[in-house]
Amino acid sequence: EYAWIAASIMKGNTSYQDIFNVKPPLTHLVHQIALQSFGYHMKSIRILDLIWQIITAILIYKISSKTKQSRVASMLAASLYFFLYFQLDYWNTAQTDGFLTLPIAAGILLFLQAEEKKCLCLYGASSFFLSLGVLFKYPIGILFIFLSLIVIYKNRKNSYRVLLWMGIGFLIPLGLCFVFMSVQGNFIDFLIIQFAYIPKYSTISRSQKNYWH
């Protein structure tokens, strides 16, 4: 489904407008990158998924190291993530939930580095990657709130500056997405699908046969 959407976009169609799509924008973009990088076949997304998860495992190793775990524990954390991910079956790998782990891991690592170096730019970069995760799946955005509460809880004198940079970093991907879709003319179609169609579809009971209403 996602690859078909990506292929249709590559042929000049517009997602959400010419092609029905319930997912946030980055899911089909990943498939488009896979098709353009590794060729037009079923293996492309699997190759990209393998590379994607290797990078994610490396980031998990670095996160574990930042939390002052031993090298063995950090390697074990990364290895277990990689092993358990590919224990999932063919249907459940190369999915949105698996792809959002990379930007989220990058965001967490950058947040830990920001805490260590007290660097406002790193706080902004952390939220930037968290926002990319939201463009894969919205609920993961709760991490932004959680990290913001950590900053506030520490009662630091310049917490407002940190929150400002985090807010800016978080809004940049969302803003760019809004501008891009506005230019394409599919932003209203996106909103209709996300906030009108999906809520209605999710409340349809199994006993109802007419899914159009």
Side-chain angles (χ1 to χ4, degrees):
E1 176 190 351
Y2 308 145
W4 183 86
I5 292 171
S8 297
I9 293 170
M10 291 164 62
K11 293 176 181 177
N13 293 311
T14 303
S15 182
Y16 308 112
Q17 187 178 69
D18 303 318
I19 316 156
F20 184 75
N21 180 14
V22 297
K23 288 292 184 181
L26 290 191
T27 297
H28 62 259
L29 180 59
V30 168
H31 281 262
Q32 188 175 341
I33 292 171
L35 293 174
Q36 291 177 326
S37 300
F38 304 109
Y40 194 87
H41 52 76
M42 294 286 286
K43 295 179 182 178
S44 294
I45 194 61
R46 301 297 168 179
I47 296 170
L48 181 61
D49 190 34
L50 178 62
I51 297 170
W52 196 278
Q53 301 308 328
I54 289 173
I55 296 172
T56 304
I58 292 171
L59 292 176
I60 289 173
Y61 171 83
K62 291 183 177 293
I63 290 171
S64 182
S65 299
K66 281 289 180 185
T67 56
K68 299 182 179 179
Q69 301 297 319
S70 68
R71 186 176 181 182
V72 173
S74 299
M75 292 181 66
L76 182 61
S79 300
L80 280 174
Y81 168 80
F82 191 77
F83 174 76
L84 292 173
Y85 176 82
F86 283 105
Q87 284 298 297
L88 297 172
D89 58 21
Y90 188 79
W91 176 262
N92 290 304
T93 51
Q95 291 279 7
T96 302
D97 305 82
F99 287 128
L100 67 80
T101 54
L102 194 157
I104 294 302
I108 297 298
L109 178 60
L110 286 166
F111 183 82
L112 293 174
Q113 291 176 338
E115 287 282 289
E116 180 183 346
K117 298 179 181 179
K118 309 302 179 187
C119 177
L120 294 175
C121 292
L122 288 175
Y123 282 110
S126 169
S127 295
F128 179 91
F129 279 97
L130 293 180
S131 183
L132 292 180
V134 171
L135 291 174
F136 277 108
K137 206 159 193 176
Y138 308 126
I140 202 67
I142 197 171
L143 279 177
F144 174 78
I145 299 173
F146 178 71
L147 296 182
S148 298
L149 290 174
I150 289 176
V151 171
I152 296 171
Y153 177 76
K154 290 189 173 181
N155 293 320
R156 55 183 84 190
K157 295 180 180 179
N158 64 336
S159 61
Y160 70 95
R161 295 177 62 196
V162 174
L163 293 175
L164 177 62
W165 276 80
M166 289 177 66
I168 292 172
F170 192 80
L171 289 174
I172 288 174
L174 299 180
L176 290 174
C177 185
F178 166 74
V179 170
F180 183 75
M181 286 198 288
S182 296
V183 171
Q184 279 195 319
N186 63 339
F187 183 68
I188 299 301
D189 302 282
F190 168 78
L191 292 180
I192 291 171
I193 292 173
Q194 299 299 311
F195 298 105
Y197 172 80
I198 293 177
K200 288 182 180 180
Y201 176 78
S202 62
T203 58
I204 293 174
S205 66
R206 292 180 179 273
S207 60
Q208 291 177 271
K209 294 182 179 180
N210 191 346
Y211 283 79
W212 294 106
H213 301 289

